[in-house]
Amino acid sequence: MNSGASSTGTRSPPSAPAVSLTPAELLESYKTMVLSRATDERCLTLQRQGRIGFYVPASGQEAAQVGCARALSGDDWIFPAYREIGVALARGVSLERLFDQFIGNSGDLSKGRQMPNHYGFREQRFVTASSPIGTQITQAVGAAIAARRKRDPIVTVTFFGDGATSSNDFHAGLNFAGVYRAPTIFFCQNNQWAISLPREKQTRSATLAEKAHAYGFDGVVVDGTDLEAVYGAVATARARALAGQGPTLIEAQVYRFGPHSTSDDPHRYRTDAEVAHWKETDPVQRLKQRLSAAGQLDEPRDQMLWEAARGEVSRALEAAERRPPVEPASFFDDVFARPTPRLEAERAEFDALVQQGVVKP
Amino acid sequence: MTELTLVQAVNRGLAEAMRRDPNVLVLGEDVGVNGGVFRATDGLLKEFGEERVLDTPLSETGIVGTAIGMALYGLKPVAEIQFLDFIYPAFDQIVSELAKFRYRSGGQYPCPVVIRTPYGGGIKGGLYHSQSTEAYFCHTAGLKVVIPSTPADAKGLLLTAIQDEDPVMFLEPKRIYRSVSGEVPDGDVRVPFGRARLVRDGTDVSIFAYGAMVPVASEAADTLAAEGISAEVIDLRSLVPLDEAAAVASVEKTGRAVIVHEAARFCGFGAELAALLAEKALYSLKAPIARVTGYDTPFPYALEHLYLPNAARVAHAARETVRSG
């Protein structure tokens, strides 16, 4: 079921796996996409209200994210960038944990140390993201080689955008993966804009996927607004990786509907007409139509799903806002497995300043 | 015990760790078939095979990024960067990723990578095969930084590094890879981090050094002894974590401090050590702290013998501190 995917070169196109999503799975995927979109919409408001410090929206990329995650096993490892909320939700990360991270409270697994959207969840094999672009790509290759060494039948999947295809680690990572035939899927969400730089100024290559050919493996372009096409492309790549046939680069073509982040004003570099054009293929609407045509969804039921999603977002937010803040001196923890004498001394110095009232936490 | 050179001790340490733990592997440029350009990994490919000794493409960010992924997944990678001078393509991976993984994940993702890399001058290596830029790494929270100066420490500290739960920068003084040899304990004998090594007891002045500067400091101490000056020589060997107590105690005893390193002086490790001694041992000092270091220039090729600290410069600085107070 990879009708939406096309191989970009002369290499043998991946054979279509005998897999597709069941109607129930399609509906589940749709719910996750709606939840992702509803979270985005709320968080943009929350940032303007000052209730969260920052936000990176993923609107427009939900089918790519959820479709990819759906094609993976729970044992596969995810190396995300910071825009992968749809993947996190599809992996079963709770909205409450996400809001704990957005607020940086005592429920945040990363203890309030990073900006919103830079989260990680070991239980869901979702590695903690960072801000530098592309650094997760080589790491995913290393984890894939390690998994093979341990004879674990899994793949690693790394997420990045069109901008990252210019980064050092993209080229190093693809090259290493090609040389070692690493069971890695390079999942590029080409959302057309790297902050203000359009896709055509990022590279002269006709597609991003074709860059894989230089490294000796398949690159595939897929319509990232089509959940089933993405699912098929990823399922194929995963089967090939597990069969020892090496990595695949998947370019999921999508569009970032919103700003790069809440610090960005896209009106400076792109037109409303362009956004409107891409919104005609809104992935959420597209799957809604697909489900409606199949008799899985109607307007009242859709309204219920949206209300449920928005209610879930509100409950998660309220729970996270009620949770106590992180302990002040906790920023000294986790530098090393055990604190060095120097860190212990600095912590004691900090505690004394608090006790003396010089520092007010 | 076996008599080994420093580079042989590194090799034995790697083999020992790999025999004990199947999760330990090495990767880097020319580390397999060639056994490393300095032969530090000689014989490992034959004994442990291609799955555990990976000849990598020529990309330092690829090497370190891949090693990070391996460590996250539960292996114990020991990455070789062929020269410290070539580590900068991996600087982002080291500083932004490796050093911060445990911290940024709230302890969910430890990342115990060991990065071995030869450093330092004195081998006619010019600008790009000579530098001592340990301070960059000491300045980055989350990295441990160790530098052996003896074969026993090379093996013992390396075994500790590979067992450590945190990332370790293991800097090897290539100038003394083969010029220094000594008895090395057989088996898994580890040298703990955070403990300085007393090389020579003394009462008049403390000379602090590490790596290839330790033999230089010892030579200076011989010269000084002939003049009736008793110099204590301390090999710091573990820069992070630093044995602050040993440094302070030595200066409390001698009242004078000379700090020796190859790296440029400005913001070099000696600046941190001097500040520490000023904070913790000022009232024990009888003379200003002296630093004998590389100069604040790039590393010169033809004139490296004038750039690098030698015994004459160290002895001179020690004499000055004794004369001045």
Side-chain angles (χ1 to χ4, degrees):
Chain A
M1 183 86 190
N2 66 338
S3 57
S6 61
S7 182
T8 58
T10 53
R11 286 173 187 281
S12 59
S15 54
V19 288
S20 60
L21 289 163
T22 64
E25 286 170 336
L26 280 178
L27 190 59
E28 276 305 305
S29 300
Y30 180 70
K31 286 182 188 170
T32 307
M33 288 166 61
V34 167
L35 192 57
S36 177
R37 181 70 61 90
T39 305
D40 262 18
E41 288 173 355
R42 187 68 187 268
C43 284
L44 292 175
T45 306
L46 291 172
Q47 192 276 335
R48 283 193 290 270
Q49 292 170 339
R51 289 163 78 181
I52 61 175
F54 179 77
Y55 191 73
V56 179
S59 294
Q61 304 183 204
E62 293 92 342
Q65 298 187 358
V66 176
C68 179
R70 274 269 167 188
L72 304 175
S73 147
D75 290 335
D76 295 338
W77 275 48
I78 309 289
F79 285 78
Y82 42 65
R83 203 185 296 280
E84 270 65 72
I85 189 171
V87 181
L89 291 171
R91 296 287 281 189
V93 174
S94 77
L95 208 48
E96 203 165 310
R97 283 289 89 74
L98 289 170
F99 272 98
D100 286 337
Q101 199 278 331
F102 299 160
I103 288 169
N105 66 23
S106 58
D108 173 13
L109 294 183
S110 35
K111 305 179 185 175
R113 300 210 175 111
Q114 291 214 80
M115 294 169 82
N117 305 90
H118 297 64
Y119 36 72
F121 305 94
R122 190 170 185 103
E123 196 185 329
Q124 282 80 18
R125 304 195 173 201
F126 191 100
V127 176
T128 305
S130 67
S131 302
I133 297 302
T135 46
Q136 72 278 18
I137 297 173
T138 47
Q139 295 164 10
V141 176
I145 296 170
R148 184 170 60 195
R149 161 93 189 124
K150 286 176 173 274
R151 313 291 182 253
D152 291 343
I154 65 140
V155 303
T156 65
V157 186
T158 181
F159 293 79
F160 52 93
D162 40 309
T165 63
S166 296
S167 73
N168 296 340
D169 281 281
F170 172 82
H171 295 282
L174 264 67
N175 191 42
F176 274 54
V179 167
Y180 298 114
R181 294 182 76 78
T184 300
I185 299 170
F186 300 95
F187 193 79
C188 177
Q189 291 169 85
N190 169 11
N191 70 11
Q192 314 301 328
W193 290 94
I195 304 187
S196 68
L197 197 77
R199 156 64 187 86
E200 64 271 17
K201 287 189 178 174
Q202 192 67 245
T203 174
R204 185 69 76 182
S205 304
T207 68
L208 303 178
E210 73 189 35
K211 291 175 186 287
H213 302 164
Y215 297 108
F217 56 90
D218 281 327
V220 173
V221 176
V222 65
D223 180 348
T225 68
D226 180 345
L227 179 95
E228 291 170 282
V230 173
Y231 177 88
V234 175
T236 302
R238 184 172 188 277
R240 287 173 55 88
L242 288 179
Q245 293 173 325
T248 305
L249 170 61
I250 297 173
E251 176 188 352
Q253 296 187 337
V254 294
Y255 192 79
R256 159 164 60 75
F257 290 165
H260 163 72
S261 75
T262 48
S263 303
D264 176 40
D265 174 12
H267 291 105
R268 293 179 67 88
Y269 51 81
R270 67 186 192 185
T271 64
D272 289 343
E274 179 184 305
V275 179
H277 168 73
W278 278 90
K279 281 195 172 174
E280 288 167 18
T281 48
D282 181 332
V284 176
Q285 291 306 315
R286 189 167 176 178
L287 186 56
K288 178 184 167 182
Q289 284 156 17
R290 165 88 168 78
L291 288 164
S292 301
Q296 295 284 312
L297 193 63
D298 56 23
E299 206 53 49
R301 176 125 169 81
D302 189 45
Q303 286 304 317
M304 276 173 52
L305 290 182
W306 274 97
E307 277 165 36
R310 289 183 181 123
E312 198 179 329
V313 168
S314 290
R315 283 191 298 280
L317 168 67
E318 284 155 21
E321 286 187 327
R322 276 196 305 271
R323 215 179 292 283
V326 282
E327 284 297 320
S330 70
F331 71 85
F332 288 104
D333 295 336
D334 303 317
V335 180
F336 297 110
R338 275 168 293 285
T340 57
R342 183 162 197 89
L343 279 165
E344 282 175 343
E346 289 184 6
R347 188 184 192 126
E349 177 187 314
F350 174 82
D351 288 342
L353 289 172
V354 172
Q355 277 196 341
Q356 292 159 26
V358 180
V359 170
K360 294 176 178 60
Chain B
M1 300 283 260
T2 310
E3 175 93 3
L4 298 172
T5 64
L6 199 151
V7 71
Q8 285 172 333
V10 169
N11 182 269
R12 300 295 168 87
L14 289 169
E16 175 74 27
M18 292 176 81
R19 279 180 210 127
R20 294 178 67 87
D21 181 353
N23 286 326
V24 178
L25 58 81
V26 303
L27 69 161
E29 294 157 14
D30 307 301
V31 300
V33 176
N34 196 41
V37 295
F38 290 103
R39 307 290 177 260
T41 54
D42 195 26
L44 298 182
L45 177 63
K46 191 173 174 210
E47 182 173 352
F48 300 103
E50 284 188 346
E51 250 197 321
R52 296 181 66 194
V53 181
L54 284 77
D55 270 322
T56 66
L58 204 163
S59 168
E60 287 75 16
T61 193
I63 294 167
V64 176
T66 300
I68 288 171
M70 291 172 167
L72 293 172
Y73 201 84
L75 296 184
K76 298 283 294 192
V78 183
E80 176 176 309
I81 298 297
Q82 204 160 76
F83 287 82
L84 177 58
D85 310 69
F86 303 143
I87 207 164
Y88 306 108
F91 204 60
D92 195 17
Q93 285 289 350
I94 295 170
V95 172
S96 305
E97 302 290 322
L98 181 59
K100 293 174 175 59
F101 241 114
R102 178 187 292 279
Y103 191 77
R104 82 181 192 213
S105 66
Q108 293 183 89
Y109 286 102
C111 198
V113 172
V114 178
I115 297 177
R116 294 180 38 247
T117 184
Y119 85 98
I123 60 144
K124 286 285 175 188
L127 285 170
Y128 304 112
H129 299 79
S130 304
Q131 297 168 87
S132 300
T133 55
E134 61 276 5
Y136 293 147
F137 306 101
C138 295
H139 189 65
T140 299
L143 299 175
K144 294 178 179 174
V145 183
V146 296
I147 305 180
S149 73
T150 69
D153 278 358
K155 185 181 170 199
L157 288 170
L158 183 56
L159 287 170
T160 302
I162 294 170
Q163 291 294 322
D164 204 272
E165 297 169 84
D166 292 303
V168 180
M169 300 297 299
F170 191 85
L171 273 53
E172 299 169 2
K174 59 181 176 288
R175 178 186 180 180
I176 56 171
Y177 257 158
R178 290 183 177 80
S179 65
V180 167
S181 57
E183 292 290 315
V184 178
D186 298 318
D188 186 27
V189 179
R190 299 178 208 161
V191 173
F193 290 175
R195 305 265 180 80
R197 181 175 69 94
L198 181 65
V199 180
R200 177 185 187 123
D201 209 1
T203 53
D204 296 328
V205 56
S206 303
I207 305 178
F208 298 99
Y210 50 86
M213 290 295 100
V214 173
V216 169
S218 292
E219 189 188 338
D222 288 339
T223 306
L224 292 164
E227 300 168 15
I229 295 172
S230 167
E232 179 151 298
V233 177
I234 291 182
D235 177 0
L236 294 172
R237 71 182 176 180
S238 173
L239 303 189
V240 181
L242 179 66
D243 191 347
E244 298 185 4
V248 169
S250 180
V251 169
E252 284 174 347
K253 180 173 73 170
T254 64
R256 299 176 187 88
V258 175
I259 302 167
V260 187
H261 58 59
E262 297 179 50
R265 186 170 307 170
F266 193 76
C267 288
F269 191 78
E272 183 58 44
L273 186 58
L276 174 79
L277 295 173
E279 287 167 354
K280 301 273 176 71
L282 184 68
Y283 300 117
S284 300
L285 285 170
K286 299 171 189 161
I289 296 166
R291 283 185 283 166
V292 183
T293 67
Y295 296 102
D296 292 322
T297 69
F299 192 99
Y301 171 66
L303 299 176
E304 69 172 352
H305 57 291
L306 301 179
Y307 174 91
L308 286 167
N310 62 15
R313 276 174 62 192
V314 175
H316 176 72
R319 259 181 234 118
E320 291 296 305
T321 63
V322 172
R323 272 188 203 138
S324 75

